[in-house]
Amino acid sequence: MRILVDKKHIQNRIGDVAWEIDRHYNKQDWYKNTKEPVIVLGVLSGGMFFMADLVRQLSIRTEMDFIRVSTYPGKATTAQKPRIIVEPTKLLHNAHILIVDDILDTGKTLGCVKEHLLYPHFPIVQFRPASIQTAVLLCKPGKAVNNMTADFVCCGIEDEWVVGYGLDYNGRYRNLPYVAVLE
Ligand code: IMP
Ligand code: MG
């Protein structure tokens, strides 16, 4: 295993990104003029490690919720399509949402979550969040199939399969405190 991003660098970058996120929301009129929190929506399971560290470095008002998306076991193939398997528990109508995930690779997962929040299968009430921002720990540049980008990114990495800090290979290695490449 080769360490790609060590623990200290991850923590420093999360601090920088937390500052950017604070600055973004502190500038919004709704944030200044209401008592509404930002709903930090973690994508399970991989996103929870980054989310736990990120929210503890934010100064803005937050509440937390989670969404679970099925992903491909082991390594990615282009044919697979993610789907929502556990819904958030909060009613997110008119909410200001910050989606937090471990990595942006093909962009399908974030695309699926965003689309689900914007166009849920909710036939009676018109259900729309007020805003959606996205934050990821890692980003593999140039691979997104749907022009998906994240608003806040801690580290750009090469196109290699990485593990640790929430990222797994067949369910293992999520708990490593650094990001590493399996060799
Ligand atoms: P995307 O849908 O291709 O953008 O990938 C996002 C999801 O795929 C992430 O939330 C991860 O669960 C998983 N994933 C993508 N690349 C990697 C990797 O290099 N290691 C571990 N998991 C990954
Ligand atoms: Mg994931």
Side-chain angles (χ1 to χ4, degrees):
M1 205 173 285
R2 169 168 56 89
I3 296 184
L4 197 64
V5 195
D6 67 28
K7 200 172 163 179
K8 190 155 178 272
H9 188 67
I10 293 172
Q11 291 309 322
N12 287 341
R13 286 296 303 146
I14 293 176
D16 297 342
V17 163
W19 185 85
E20 284 175 39
I21 292 172
D22 280 345
R23 191 180 55 164
H24 168 82
Y25 285 108
N26 278 315
K27 282 195 299 204
Q28 308 302 313
D29 287 339
W30 72 265
Y31 189 84
K32 288 187 271 191
N33 301 329
T34 72
K35 296 252 183 300
E36 297 275 306
V38 174
I39 307 295
V40 183
L41 185 68
V43 181
L44 294 172
S45 303
M48 71 181 194
F49 299 80
F50 171 43
M51 174 168 163
D53 284 346
L54 179 68
V55 291
R56 284 178 291 176
Q57 300 222 38
L58 291 173
S59 318
I60 50 168
R61 300 183 298 272
T62 57
E63 287 183 17
M64 276 151 259
D65 204 346
F66 294 94
I67 190 166
R68 184 167 205 134
V69 184
S70 67
T71 44
Y72 28 83
K75 300 197 175 190
T77 70
T78 47
Q80 286 150 327
K81 198 170 174 276
R83 62 193 179 86
I84 307 298
I85 49 177
V86 179
E87 294 276 351
T89 53
K90 289 182 190 298
L91 187 62
L92 297 174
H93 183 54
N94 278 339
H96 293 273
I97 303 173
L98 174 67
I99 304 170
V100 175
D101 202 1
D102 47 12
I103 193 165
L104 187 131
D105 182 11
T106 64
K108 287 181 189 174
T109 303
L110 280 185
C112 168
V113 172
K114 253 182 142 167
E115 191 175 318
H116 183 74
L117 295 173
L118 287 169
Y119 311 106
H121 306 290
F122 212 73
I124 304 163
V125 185
Q126 271 297 328
F127 176 108
R128 289 279 183 283
S131 71
I132 300 181
Q133 295 279 298
T134 50
V136 291
L137 180 70
L138 304 173
C139 183
K140 293 181 186 173
K143 273 189 72 190
V145 287
N146 41 11
N147 290 326
M148 182 59 64
T149 53
D151 299 296
F152 305 98
V153 178
C154 293
C155 312
I157 59 166
E158 298 295 311
D159 187 12
E160 298 176 287
W161 193 263
V162 289
V163 295
Y165 216 87
L167 294 144
D168 73 307
Y169 179 71
N170 284 335
R172 286 193 57 197
Y173 310 114
R174 287 193 198 275
N175 57 326
L176 296 176
Y178 45 78
V179 173
V181 179
L182 273 185
E183 287 169 320

